[in-house]
PDB file of all heavy atoms in Angstrom:
ATOM      1  N   CYS A 298     112.793  28.104  81.460  1.00  0.00           N
ATOM      2  CA  CYS A 298     111.475  28.232  80.822  1.00  0.00           C
ATOM      3  C   CYS A 298     111.398  27.356  79.570  1.00  0.00           C
ATOM      4  O   CYS A 298     112.220  27.492  78.656  1.00  0.00           O
ATOM      5  CB  CYS A 298     111.213  29.699  80.486  1.00  0.00           C
ATOM      6  SG  CYS A 298     109.756  29.932  79.472  1.00  0.00           S
ATOM      7  N   CYS A 301     111.033  29.430  76.347  1.00  0.00           N
ATOM      8  CA  CYS A 301     112.300  30.093  75.997  1.00  0.00           C
ATOM      9  C   CYS A 301     113.253  29.083  75.360  1.00  0.00           C
ATOM     10  O   CYS A 301     113.997  29.410  74.427  1.00  0.00           O
ATOM     11  CB  CYS A 301     112.940  30.748  77.219  1.00  0.00           C
ATOM     12  SG  CYS A 301     112.201  32.338  77.674  1.00  0.00           S
ATOM     13  N   HIS A 340     110.444  37.051  77.295  1.00  0.00           N
ATOM     14  CA  HIS A 340     109.811  36.257  78.352  1.00  0.00           C
ATOM     15  C   HIS A 340     108.869  37.139  79.165  1.00  0.00           C
ATOM     16  O   HIS A 340     109.306  37.973  79.946  1.00  0.00           O
ATOM     17  CB  HIS A 340     110.868  35.622  79.260  1.00  0.00           C
ATOM     18  CG  HIS A 340     110.270  34.781  80.346  1.00  0.00           C
ATOM     19  ND1 HIS A 340     109.940  33.453  80.157  1.00  0.00           N
ATOM     20  CD2 HIS A 340     109.901  35.074  81.609  1.00  0.00           C
ATOM     21  CE1 HIS A 340     109.405  32.973  81.261  1.00  0.00           C
ATOM     22  NE2 HIS A 340     109.374  33.930  82.170  1.00  0.00           N
ATOM     23  N   HIS A 391     105.133  31.199  80.449  1.00  0.00           N
ATOM     24  CA  HIS A 391     105.650  32.115  79.415  1.00  0.00           C
ATOM     25  C   HIS A 391     104.431  32.405  78.554  1.00  0.00           C
ATOM     26  O   HIS A 391     103.847  31.468  77.978  1.00  0.00           O
ATOM     27  CB  HIS A 391     106.777  31.428  78.619  1.00  0.00           C
ATOM     28  CG  HIS A 391     107.345  32.255  77.495  1.00  0.00           C
ATOM     29  ND1 HIS A 391     108.707  32.467  77.341  1.00  0.00           N
ATOM     30  CD2 HIS A 391     106.753  32.894  76.457  1.00  0.00           C
ATOM     31  CE1 HIS A 391     108.916  33.206  76.258  1.00  0.00           C
ATOM     32  NE2 HIS A 391     107.738  33.472  75.696  1.00  0.00           N
TER      33      HIS A 391
HETATM   34 ZN1   ZN B 182     110.165  32.014  78.684  1.00  0.00          ZN
END
Side-chain angles (χ1 to χ4, degrees):
C298 171
C301 281
H340 181 86
H391 178 129

